[in-house]
Amino acid sequence: IVVLGYFVDRFLIRPIGSNHLAQVLLTGTYPAVPYLTYLCAGLLLGRTELHDVVVQVRMAVVGAVLALGAWFVYWVLVLQAGGYDQLMRHTPWLSEDQIDEIIVWGPSPDLPTSTWWWLLTPGPHSNTPVTLLMDLGTGLAVLGILLLVVRPNRLWTTLGAMGGRTLTLYSAHLLALATTVHYDDRPLWFAVHVTAAAVFAVLWQRTFGQGPLERGIATAVRGTRRLVLGAPARTVQSSGT
């Protein structure tokens, strides 16, 4: 998906000047197409027996292998086999410090497309195959470990309430960040955001259950499913009469 997206962005979308479309679909901070990787992984996990200890162990092991394997590929090909030199040679307008900043902190806003070697870098929000595999593997490993060791208590109940309403909380978080007031005192506003999210999630769970945006999406999905799955049934009935 990522390699195909890189090709489409460089040779099809950018030549016609559709930079906004490229950022939304392929190269932005949260591009739709590469993030299908996480969506597909979540759908797969949702169909497993997460209460099974064997499944939890497999998640932790597979996740660790994915994350470490992706980092090892970056370490070998970029840091040991000359990939870093290729980045510098094909991106001469960036200094060594700027390349290191992209690798460590991610691109701002887009990853350079001067060479395919950039697809082997692990920078945050770079959405390269290495980054996606590292993120996916880390998420799997952490989820598997937490399922193995966590037991019900007040802390985990609070985190569970927040985790069950991530769409609502993250959307509100992005809207709050758009005000830019957090730039004045970031530690304070970090604490405010976390506290507000935790309080809201727990109170909403106890009062209403499913989060507001999650409920809206679920309602739309159920309606679409009934619409799609109901059509063949009506067709068969009408043909029988």
Side-chain angles (χ1 to χ4, degrees):
I1 290 176
V2 177
V3 175
L4 178 61
Y6 182 92
F7 175 83
V8 172
D9 172 53
R10 184 173 182 181
F11 297 105
L12 296 180
I13 294 182
R14 288 187 184 273
I16 63 176
S18 301
N19 288 332
H20 293 296
L21 180 62
Q23 288 186 356
V24 170
L25 295 179
L26 302 167
T27 62
T29 304
Y30 304 101
V33 175
Y35 272 41
L36 288 175
T37 305
Y38 305 131
L39 177 62
C40 292
L43 291 173
L44 178 63
L45 284 179
R47 285 159 175 75
T48 60
E49 294 293 337
L50 294 178
H51 296 287
D52 190 345
V53 175
V54 175
V55 173
Q56 297 168 2
V57 171
R58 288 177 178 173
M59 288 172 56
V61 172
V62 171
V65 170
L66 279 178
L68 293 175
W71 183 88
F72 183 73
V73 169
Y74 154 73
W75 181 81
V76 170
L77 296 181
V78 175
L79 300 183
Q80 305 298 321
Y84 193 92
D85 295 334
Q86 294 296 323
L87 295 179
M88 296 187 64
R89 185 167 71 89
H90 289 281
T91 322
W93 59 88
L94 294 179
S95 65
E96 184 175 349
D97 289 339
Q98 290 174 318
I99 292 177
D100 290 341
E101 184 174 350
I102 291 175
I103 292 176
V104 174
W105 302 108
S108 180
D110 298 337
L111 191 71
T113 57
S114 56
T115 174
W116 292 87
W117 286 96
W118 281 108
L119 291 178
L120 295 173
T121 58
H125 296 294
S126 60
N127 305 309
T128 66
V130 172
T131 300
L132 292 178
L133 288 176
M134 288 180 62
D135 293 346
L136 183 60
T138 302
L140 278 174
V142 170
L143 181 58
I145 292 172
L146 288 178
L147 289 173
L148 284 169
V149 303
V150 167
R151 295 295 179 268
N153 58 51
R154 184 171 298 178
L155 172 62
W156 298 122
T157 300
T158 302
L159 292 178
M162 297 171 68
R165 288 141 196 86
T166 50
L167 179 60
T168 297
L169 295 180
Y170 200 59
S171 299
H173 173 64
L174 291 178
L175 291 175
L177 290 180
T179 65
T180 68
V181 297
H182 63 284
Y183 288 127
D184 296 331
D185 193 341
R186 295 190 179 188
L188 171 63
W189 284 104
F190 172 78
V192 170
H193 282 213
V194 172
T195 303
V199 171
F200 171 83
V202 171
L203 292 179
W204 190 277
Q205 181 185 45
R206 293 177 177 176
T207 306
F208 302 105
Q210 195 174 24
L213 292 186
E214 288 79 5
R215 180 172 297 176
I217 294 295
T219 301
V221 169
R222 286 194 296 267
T224 303
R225 182 173 58 189
R226 286 194 298 266
L227 184 64
V228 173
L229 296 181
R234 288 193 296 270
T235 302
V236 172
Q237 184 177 4
S238 59
S239 62
T241 57

